[in-house]
Amino acid sequence: MSETAYNLDEQVGYVLRRVTQRHLAIFAQNVPELTTTQFAVLARLAQLGPLSQNLLGRETSMDAATIKGVVDRLVRQGLVATAPDPEDRRRLTVRLTETGAALYGRRAATALAVTEATLAPLSPEEQATLLALLHRLT
């Protein structure tokens, strides 16, 4: 085995994955009825209104297969509804149902608290710096 300077604990992907796992655990504890990806869909639809499934995937940083699975699960839960786009029947439009909008409304403050809990080990200045640096990497 060759010697390298590679230390897994210092690799950005590994550290980001560990932070993500911590965030997901905090989210699941506080919002047990939704995954983070499901919540992202509800949040984006609440923010932007009905969207094509394809655009919704782009707006939530999910590939086509992932957004389809998430939307299908949310439809089964009665939180979103889909319909063919009247202008292009090949395109599927996704919208919040009343139940989905109500759940988002009840859970938005909790989701903000999850972000606060995730960032709690950092000072407010460190939190702002971390978020700014992460945005530069996207």
Side-chain angles (χ1 to χ4, degrees):
M1 189 166 167
S2 66
E3 288 188 34
T4 65
Y6 188 91
N7 179 349
L8 180 62
D9 294 321
E10 300 301 320
Q11 303 310 306
V12 66
Y14 179 73
V15 174
L16 287 171
R17 186 169 45 258
R18 291 191 61 209
V19 171
T20 298
Q21 288 170 337
R22 181 172 169 271
H23 174 73
L24 292 174
I26 295 167
F27 189 92
Q29 183 177 13
N30 288 279
V31 187
E33 64 269 64
L34 293 169
T35 66
T36 56
T37 53
Q38 291 170 336
F39 189 81
V41 166
L42 298 185
R44 197 56 91 197
L45 290 172
Q47 178 187 20
L48 299 177
L51 297 171
S52 74
Q53 185 169 289
N54 186 286
L55 179 56
L56 181 58
R58 290 194 306 273
E59 288 288 338
T60 54
S61 299
M62 293 181 219
D63 62 37
T66 302
I67 192 63
K68 181 183 182 330
V70 171
V71 167
D72 287 349
R73 284 186 291 280
L74 290 171
V75 166
R76 283 194 300 274
Q77 292 174 276
L79 301 175
V80 301
T82 61
D85 185 312
E87 295 177 18
D88 183 350
R89 300 203 54 81
R90 297 169 297 172
R91 187 177 4 195
L92 198 60
T93 299
V94 183
R95 67 169 178 79
L96 283 175
T97 62
E98 286 184 27
T99 303
L103 178 59
Y104 173 76
R106 286 192 312 274
R107 287 307 202 174
T110 306
L112 286 171
V114 167
T115 295
E116 290 174 8
T118 301
L119 296 174
L122 304 176
S123 71
E125 296 80 19
E126 290 171 325
Q127 291 177 20
T129 299
L130 175 64
L131 290 172
L133 291 171
L134 290 173
H135 281 293
R136 284 181 52 194
L137 294 175
T138 60

